[in-house]
Amino acid sequence: MGKDYEVVIGLEVHAELKTDSKIFCGCSTAFGAEPNTQVCPVCSGFPGMLPVLNQKVVELAIITGLALNSKIPDYCKFDRKNYFYPDLPKAYQISQFDLPICMGGYLDIEIDGDKKRIGITRAHMEEDAGKLVHQGNITSTTFSLVDLNRSGVPLLEIVSEPDMRSASEARAYLEKLRAILLFAGVSDCKMQEGSLRCDANVSVRPVGETRLGARAEIKNLNSFRSLERAIEFEARRQIEAIEDGEAIIQETRTWDEDKQATRSMRSKEEAHDYRYFPEPDLPPLRISHEWVERLRTVMPELPDQAQIRLQESFGLPSYDAAILTLTPESLAFFDKCVELYPQPKMVSNWMMGELSRLLNQNNLEISDCRFGPAELARLLTLIDEGTISGKMAKGIFEDMFASGKPPDQIIAEKGMTQISDQDTLIKVIDEVIAANPTVVEDYRNGKEKALGFLVGQIMKATKGQANPGVVNTLLKERL
Amino acid sequence: MALTIKEVEHVAMLARLSLSQQEKETFAVQLGTILEYASTINQLNTDGVEPLDHILPVFNVFREDQVEPSAPREEILSNGPLIEDGQYRVPKIL
């Protein structure tokens, strides 16, 4: 490659707001119901039906704005975004165009220990569309089925500035945004259920160039992994095209998970003509300073504040603090565990090591974990008391993870108690010394390695239950 | 003034309408007449008049976040021309 390029990324994130009912009618927003059982004339777009705004949607949007350091204007309104698609029964989406509920803002990410601030352009409220189910093979089928349960579910679209320069920065931004939305309690953020969705605007330019290149908007990114892969693929595709002398056209592309590639959906010029105009069915909003301040006072602890608390009150490294504050569940698990077993770094090590390894292996979240913080605290206490060794604890931990049984029960069932009793151990040690005269002789002649062999024999004779610390001390004494 | 054929084609594309050459020419003239009539409003002097987002001086009309019963599925689906598996059946659009 002749030149060096940099990739420029901005993200548009749609988060479903956590309400019981839809944004403009009383239908339930619960996920997973039978098709078209949570619909009414309003969210099905019947003629003459009037939307009435759900107050909770506005409050959750304001809370999000505050959490993202946005300005909440004292006036905002809704607009109609017109387009034809079978999942949009009114043939327009009620959204916000020029006067959204949140203006500006930022969040901070950490990349390889360095802090970077990513700007937020705006966030606006809108209604979700329905769901299209294509029958059979997407290329050969001739029809689709429409389920309107999702039509009218409240969304907040959060648009970032084009401030990210790599796939890993984009991932860090999305992870941080998700953590903030979860801590603020405004969205479930379940990517697999579509309550958090992400589109990426990706362009490339030669290093040093300040103008933005033509961008591709990539859709269908429904996991952190597909976000990263799609950006990496798209940046490479654009750089290769430029190197081959081709022009990049502004277009919408979709991420094909099977092919691990982006492909063109439609070019932007012909598709984007939404003919926005003010929504005549909804009066505008006046948002008072008092209302905003009232919501600010009920704001829960946010990830950045929690990270500072973990570092200052518990002396955790910033890396640990960042990982533990990715979800409120993981922070709550940590806080509860430390309350019962006040050694924060030890708890953090176990959560980031054993626990997160098993969760990842099984594709689970911490909320799926079958034991609680009290059981982990108990396990760590048993190590300190010398009942079990650290090594035994790892085995017990796996059992706890698989069965949900408390550590004491697993130890009792398996007869795994560690032997720390000196008389019992001395008996075994003396037997091993007697059975291995040459090795003992080697050690006495200065061969340090021989000690390891003898310890191994003692552990074997006690089926791994001997307390290694006690064995070492006693063995040296006896030799 | 009549619209250009290109403008008519653009509007037709947005509305998913397929028009014959004859229709395009007819609509170019008719749409032009409508726009011309609507533009009469431009003759008014609106200096110093605030843009209006809504015709009534009403703000903050809300409902509580409360789930109400949805419509019976069969009843609401009966308004669609083609139904399959409790869903509307529509031509595939990609």
Side-chain angles (χ1 to χ4, degrees), chain A residues 395-415:
Chain A
I396 295 166
F397 189 84
E398 292 196 6
D399 274 5
M400 287 162 65
F401 190 86
S403 67
K405 288 180 190 165
D408 291 284
Q409 190 186 338
I410 294 168
I411 291 167
E413 282 175 7
K414 301 207 166 167

Side-chain angles (χ1 to χ4, degrees), chain A residues 4 15 67 93 96 107 113 120 122 129 158 176 197 207 213 267 289 317-318 336 341 355 367 410 444 453 469 473:
Chain A
D4 280 337
Q93 178 191 31
Q96 297 192 283
L107 59 77
I120 286 165
R122 57 179 279 166
I158 303 159
K176 187 62 173 287
R197 309 197 285 271
V207 170
S267 85
H289 181 69
S318 72
K336 186 70 196 168
Y341 179 81
L355 182 56
S367 48
I410 294 168
R444 288 184 177 139
F453 175 80
T473 318

